[in-house]
């Protein structure tokens, strides 16, 4: 191929793990810098709307692309992703696109018949079926008619919960479930949201952070900062006894006592995460902790709302990684 | 977007702590950073744009028109605004426009706008709020303030003044004695100077015994109520209480708290 040099360059970039981390939106790790792709897109990973992705007709066109004749063009600004023969462009910005297994934070927007509608920041509201939540009195319990009538007692409009995406309907809407004691209604804390494209997926999205604060890092960019409390599943209760342990308290609206110092720490974390957002730095556990540590130089949490402080924190987080 | 009960109670108790803990850690009297520019619209006498860090954005343009001021009750300032996503006759529009109009009419002396004898300027202040997350009053007022500081009026040619005073005595219906202006915009004079600067209207949220300036949307949502403070040349010139949410809570029974809170805002 004529563009051999370029593909080598791309290979070198991909092999360097650090530089991949520095980029917010990395190419699919499977991509091997095939000259057939990288060559025709001028050796760039990022394309803009209307830019030629490939003029080769053998590629299948996925999301974020359109075609004129044999050529494929990008319809969004984003990075090229390749799965076998399927080319798609993942947008840099835009709404969250749910995937099965994602840990998300959502807000109830509507109580329907036998299901709730949940705002998760996606194109459509997600659906949480009555059968997909832990009902008080045990996991094994069958849902009854009285449960259908008192759905607002469990979750009502405005309530926040964390859940897992169980399935995606054909129209792209997500179906959620909370059938684990690590999911459910959120209490004792503060909500904030950042663009979902900044969230780095990892195995664990419920983080225990220094300072006695937990962070539920929803893949959809919805975040919940709360006082650290022993979750029901952590108290050494065996799986078989979970049934008896899950009582009405999992749907309580009452906060525990939260001390002023914990409230300040929560505010500090919120500002640290906003600083990462300001610097367009991807968010994961080490970075949140690094941002928190960098923020400690500001004695007063309020100083962190200034843009200079945010920039400084973001820069320090990036410097700490290399 | 409604808050969940636990969120609401967390925020409300954080704000009513003494000292309070705002969700973004700000001091009670601390503003968020904003991005402001003036003189952005070439076809106006004065204009400004302010962007807040939460995404709120407001553009204001001011046009001055020469009107005859034979009647005493002619309103010399007219404020209109357009809020994206809100119908044009909503209570929010009325609230914003009348609050600012009142503040301006009460502080702007008519002599500042009068040109010669029968003629005076009338200021048309038009704003558009492109986006707002928190209550738009503070944003709108600050943008109007900046636009007024930027406002320049054309310079009057003095000879016209003399001519009008001599002729207007005979008959007032003749179109003679029209004010003549310098065509050079470089010569224009600013509306505001050391003797007069525009008023500012701020919304402050009350929670418990605390007062917060520049409240975010969620702070206003859980606060017990709000006060609108008009501020002009170092003094508080107007004060009103408003509801920021439809609650049945009786907030202003303890007027002592409000006065105490206010003195802190002023100082």
């Amino acid at each position: 191929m004529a563009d051999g040099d370029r593909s080598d360059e791309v290979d070198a970039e991909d092999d360097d793990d650090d530089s991949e981390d520095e980029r917010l939106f990395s190419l699919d790790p499977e991509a091997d810098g095939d000259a057939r792709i990288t060559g025709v897109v001028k050796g760039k990973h990022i394309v803009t709307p209307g830019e030629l992705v490939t003029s080769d007709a053998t590629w299948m066109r996925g999301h974020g692309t359109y075609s004129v004749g044999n050529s494929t063009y990008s319809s969004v600004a984003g990075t090229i992703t390749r799965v076998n023969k399927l080319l798609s462009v993942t947008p840099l910005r835009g709404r969250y696109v749910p995937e099965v297994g994602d840990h998300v934070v959502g807000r109830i927007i509507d109580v329907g018949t036998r299901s709730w509608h949940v705002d998760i920041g996606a194109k459509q509201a997600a659906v949480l079926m009555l059968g997909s939540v832990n009902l008080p009195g045990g996991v094994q319990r069958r849902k009854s008619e009285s449960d259908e009538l008192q759905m607002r007692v469990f979750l009502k409009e405005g309530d926040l919960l964390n859940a897992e995406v169980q399935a995606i309907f054909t129209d792209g809407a997500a179906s959620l479930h909370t059938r684990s004691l690590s999911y459910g209604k959120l209490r004792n804390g503060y909500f904030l949201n950042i663009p979902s494209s900044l969230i780095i997926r990892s195995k664990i999205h419920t983080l225990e952070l220094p300072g006695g604060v937990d962070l539920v890092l929803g893949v959809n960019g919805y975040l919940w900062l709360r006082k650290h409390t022993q979750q029901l599943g952590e108290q050494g209760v065996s799986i078989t006894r979970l049934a008896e342990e899950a009582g009405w308290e999992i749907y309580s609206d009452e906060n525990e006592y939260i001390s002023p110092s914990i409230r300040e720490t929560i505010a500090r974390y919120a500002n640290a995460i906003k600083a990462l957002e300001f610097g367009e730095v991807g968010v994961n556990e080490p970075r949140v902790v690094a941002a928190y540590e960098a923020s400690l130089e500001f004695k007063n949490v309020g100083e962190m709302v200034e843009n200079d402080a945010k920039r400084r924190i973001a820069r320090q987080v990036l410097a700490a990684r290399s | 977007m409604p808050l969940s009960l636990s969120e609401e109670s967390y925020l409300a108790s954080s704000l009513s702590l003494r000292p309070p803990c705002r969700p973004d850690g700000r001091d009670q009297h601390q503003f968020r950073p904003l991005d402001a520019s003036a003189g952005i619209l070439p076809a106006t006498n004065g204009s400004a744009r302010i962007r807040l860090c939460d995404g709120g954005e407001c553009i204001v343009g001011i046009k001055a028109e020469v009107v005859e001021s034979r009647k005493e009750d002619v309103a010399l300032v007219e404020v209109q605004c357009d809020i994206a996503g809100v119908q044009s006759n909503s209570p929010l529009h009325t609230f914003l426009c009348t609050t600012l109009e009142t503040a301006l009419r009460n502080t702007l002396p008519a002599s500042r706008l009068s040109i010669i004898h029968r003629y005076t300027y009338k200021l048309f202040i038009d704003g558009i709020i492109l986006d707002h997350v928190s209550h738009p009053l503070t944003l709108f007022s600050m943008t109007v303030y900046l636009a007024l500081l930027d406002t320049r009026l054309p310079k009057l040619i003095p000879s016209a003044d003399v001519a009008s005073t001599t002729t207007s005595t005979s008959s007032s219906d003749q179109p003679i004695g029209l004010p003549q202006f310098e065509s050079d915009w470089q010569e224009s004079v600013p509306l505001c100077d050391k003797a007069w600067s525009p008023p500012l209207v701020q919304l402050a949220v009350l929670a418990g015994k605390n007062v917060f300036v520049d409240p975010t949307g969620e702070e206003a949502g859980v606060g017990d109520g709000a006060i609108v403070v008009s501020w002009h040349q170092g003094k508080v010139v107007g004060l009103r209480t408003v509801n920021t949410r439809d609650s049945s809570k009786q907030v202003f029974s303890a007027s002592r708290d409000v006065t105490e809170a206010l003195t802190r805002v002023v100082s």
Side-chain angles (χ1 to χ4, degrees):
Chain A
M1 279 278 162
D3 294 303
D5 292 359
R6 273 195 194 127
S7 70
D8 284 347
E9 212 177 285
V10 171
D11 270 336
E13 233 174 66
D14 277 350
D15 290 343
D16 186 2
D17 281 344
D18 281 342
S19 78
E20 196 187 41
D21 279 348
E22 291 301 323
R23 271 183 288 146
L24 295 182
F25 313 103
S26 66
L27 244 187
D28 179 15
E30 299 290 308
D32 52 9
D34 190 324
R36 273 176 298 178
I37 307 174
T38 53
V40 280
V41 295
K42 302 162 219 151
K44 278 192 292 182
H45 290 308
I46 292 181
V47 285
T48 49
E51 196 171 331
L52 181 72
V53 175
T54 180
S55 48
D56 192 342
T58 57
W59 296 98
M60 295 198 303
R61 297 168 194 112
H63 290 297
T65 63
Y66 67 93
S67 62
V68 177
N70 281 337
S71 303
T72 306
Y73 295 89
S74 170
S75 62
V76 293
T79 51
I80 299 171
T81 316
R82 183 177 74 106
V83 180
N84 293 329
K85 280 279 173 188
L86 179 71
L87 273 184
S88 50
V89 180
T90 317
L92 298 180
R93 290 276 162 172
R95 287 187 168 265
Y96 163 66
V97 183
E99 283 174 32
V100 173
D102 280 352
H103 184 169
V104 297
V105 172
R107 195 188 288 276
I108 304 282
I109 47 178
D110 190 21
V111 181
T113 48
R114 288 191 288 280
S115 71
W116 291 271
H117 285 138
V118 188
D119 167 38
I120 54 168
K123 281 180 203 158
Q124 292 119 314
V127 177
L128 178 65
M129 304 295 286
L130 179 59
S132 315
V133 301
N134 275 324
L135 297 175
V139 182
Q140 301 299 321
R141 190 165 78 88
R142 284 173 59 106
K143 65 182 160 73
S144 61
E145 241 169 66
S146 70
D147 290 328
E148 286 177 28
L149 293 173
Q150 53 173 358
M151 280 174 64
R152 266 201 186 79
V153 179
F154 305 134
L155 294 164
K156 57 197 159 305
E157 290 89 347
D159 278 355
L160 283 162
L161 65 134
N162 59 340
E164 189 179 289
V165 177
Q166 187 171 34
I168 309 286
F169 297 125
T170 44
D171 64 352
S175 167
L176 308 176
H177 83 90
T178 65
R179 296 213 87 154
S180 154
L181 288 180
S182 52
Y183 300 135
K185 198 180 244 184
L186 295 168
R187 269 187 302 280
N188 299 331
Y190 175 62
F191 172 83
L192 76 157
N193 69 334
I194 62 172
S196 65
S197 53
L198 290 181
I199 306 287
I200 299 169
R201 280 169 215 261
S202 70
K203 284 179 183 161
I204 303 165
H205 278 271
T206 309
L207 316 174
E208 268 181 49
L209 301 172
V213 171
D214 284 357
L215 170 65
V216 182
L217 188 65
V219 180
N220 55 344
Y222 287 17
L223 274 52
W224 182 251
L225 279 160
R226 67 174 171 220
K227 174 192 170 193
H228 175 67
T229 40
Q230 282 262 312
Q231 294 300 301
L232 219 48
E234 295 168 13
Q235 288 165 350
V237 180
S238 67
I239 287 291
T240 47
R241 281 201 58 231
L242 281 181
E244 291 93 275
E245 295 293 327
W248 279 98
E249 70 274 9
I250 58 170
Y251 291 110
S252 157
D253 284 321
E254 294 291 313
N255 284 337
E256 291 170 28
Y257 170 74
I258 303 168
S259 68
S261 70
I262 292 282
R263 287 175 198 266
E264 200 189 300
T265 314
I266 287 176
R268 187 178 282 278
Y269 270 112
N271 281 1
I273 291 165
K274 279 180 197 149
L276 291 179
E277 180 199 354
F278 182 81
E280 303 254 0
V281 180
V283 175
N284 58 8
E285 182 172 14
R287 284 195 180 150
V288 172
V289 174
Y292 173 71
E293 280 162 4
S295 81
L296 290 174
E297 74 168 284
F298 301 101
K299 248 190 138 49
N300 191 340
V301 182
E303 293 168 45
M304 292 161 68
V305 299
E306 301 297 333
N307 289 343
D308 283 342
K310 287 181 180 172
R311 208 168 288 128
R312 202 179 150 83
I313 291 169
R315 208 175 291 138
Q316 281 192 25
V317 168
L318 286 178
R321 297 278 295 164
S322 55
Chain B
M1 187 178 62
L3 298 171
S4 75
L5 287 177
S6 63
E7 238 181 332
E8 208 174 303
S9 86
Y10 174 82
L11 288 171
S13 53
S14 289
L15 291 182
S16 46
L17 282 173
R18 302 203 74 152
C21 176
R22 296 179 84 161
D24 50 7
R26 270 185 298 153
D27 191 68
Q28 268 172 280
H29 310 144
Q30 189 184 350
F31 279 80
R32 290 169 292 176
L34 52 83
D35 176 23
S37 47
I40 53 159
L41 301 175
T44 57
N45 288 72
S47 58
R49 180 181 71 165
I50 289 187
R51 284 185 293 181
L52 297 179
C53 64
D54 66 2
E57 182 169 0
C58 179
I59 297 175
V60 165
I62 295 176
K63 286 281 247 184
E65 199 180 284
V66 178
V67 291
E68 280 189 74
S69 63
R70 264 178 295 179
K71 278 173 263 147
E72 281 301 307
D73 58 334
V74 64
L76 296 179
V77 182
E78 203 168 287
V79 181
Q80 295 229 311
C81 71
D82 196 12
I83 308 172
V86 183
Q87 278 198 342
S88 61
N89 50 2
S90 75
L92 186 60
H93 281 89
T94 328
F95 175 66
L96 288 187
C97 297
T98 51
T99 313
L100 275 176
E101 244 171 46
T102 322
L104 278 167
R105 282 180 193 164
N106 288 345
T107 54
L108 183 63
S111 60
R112 199 153 269 277
L113 289 176
S114 68
I115 308 165
I116 43 167
H117 196 55
R118 288 187 298 134
Y119 294 99
T120 179
Y121 285 115
K122 180 171 181 179
L123 293 182
F124 290 88
I125 302 178
D126 296 304
I128 175 164
I129 293 161
L130 296 169
D131 199 2
H132 69 283
V133 181
S134 39
H135 197 284
L137 177 66
T138 308
L139 171 67
F140 188 48
S141 162
M142 285 195 294
T143 320
V144 169
Y145 177 86
L146 193 59
L148 279 168
L149 284 183
D150 180 56
T151 301
R152 298 179 77 84
L153 300 170
K155 192 184 180 189
L156 192 70
I157 298 175
S159 59
D161 198 1
V162 178
S164 74
T165 40
T166 50
T167 51
S168 60
T169 44
S170 52
S171 74
S172 56
D173 290 317
Q174 294 297 312
I176 44 168
L178 277 171
Q180 302 288 310
F181 296 103
E182 198 79 57
S183 58
D184 190 359
W185 188 246
Q186 297 292 324
E187 296 285 306
S188 59
V189 281
L191 172 70
C192 308
D193 52 31
K194 279 191 182 129
W196 185 81
S197 65
L200 259 177
V201 185
Q202 297 285 336
L203 186 97
V205 157
L206 298 171
K209 291 188 170 186
N210 296 317
V211 174
F212 301 94
V213 300
D214 191 18
T216 60
E218 58 194 12
E219 282 171 343
V222 300
D224 299 324
I227 42 177
V228 173
V229 186
S230 308
W231 180 87
H232 179 236
Q233 292 177 334
K235 290 195 295 284
V236 170
V237 291
L239 183 65
R240 251 181 83 190
T241 56
V242 284
N243 269 336
T244 47
R245 60 169 182 179
D246 38 7
S247 76
S248 52
K249 267 195 199 174
Q250 277 301 308
V251 192
F252 304 110
S253 51
S255 60
R256 192 168 45 85
D257 287 346
V258 179
T259 355
E260 180 203 330
L262 259 179
T263 45
R264 267 183 287 131
V265 168
V266 174
S267 61

